[in-house]
Amino acid sequence: MKLERTRDPAGPIVKGIGPGGFRTDDGIFPALIMTVDSVAEWTPPALEALSVDDLAPLIAAVPEFILIGTGSELSRPPRALVAALEERGIGVEAMDSRAAARAWGVLRNEGRTIAAALYPLV
């Protein structure tokens, strides 16, 4: 009998955070982007240079809002980015990456259609 492990119905979830990064069912990633359906490794630019183009895969998923995990400490994303996303009807919530990973799980359990970009904790 073959047992197959299925993905959580809420989609990808961060199951752990450690020195190597964020652990999901798909592996361990130093930085990642997530939609309700997918998770992928991400090589982010410096936060102050973050642009709409860097978040294109998330924007394409048409989320209610994007969680931006800014690393080990809370930093504000560029105002131009926030304004550009809000013009598209997408909100932005910035917090440190650990908090963003926890918030992701809670919000996905509520069935919210969100996306996330998590910077490394280094």
Side-chain angles (χ1 to χ4, degrees):
M1 178 162 100
K2 182 178 179 183
L3 296 177
E4 291 188 25
R5 186 172 177 199
T6 59
R7 184 175 291 241
D8 187 305
I13 300 290
V14 175
K15 298 187 174 195
I17 302 170
F22 305 95
R23 184 173 51 84
T24 72
D25 283 340
D26 296 291
I28 298 175
F29 307 96
L32 56 82
I33 55 174
M34 292 190 295
T35 68
V36 297
D37 298 315
S38 67
V39 60
E41 187 167 2
W42 184 46
T43 304
L47 183 63
E48 59 274 6
L50 185 62
S51 72
V52 170
D53 291 339
D54 298 310
L55 301 178
L58 304 182
I59 294 166
V62 193
E64 296 173 47
F65 61 90
I66 296 175
L67 287 170
I68 299 177
T70 61
S72 59
E73 295 184 16
L74 170 62
S75 298
R76 298 284 173 216
R79 289 181 191 197
L81 170 66
V82 174
L85 291 171
E86 288 177 348
E87 284 177 14
R88 289 171 166 81
I90 300 171
V92 176
E93 294 292 332
M95 56 193 74
D96 71 74
S97 290
R98 288 179 190 276
R102 287 189 299 270
W104 172 270
V106 171
L107 293 165
R108 286 301 302 137
N109 261 350
E110 294 175 0
R112 304 289 296 273
T113 303
I114 59 175
L118 305 182
Y119 274 78
L121 294 168
V122 184

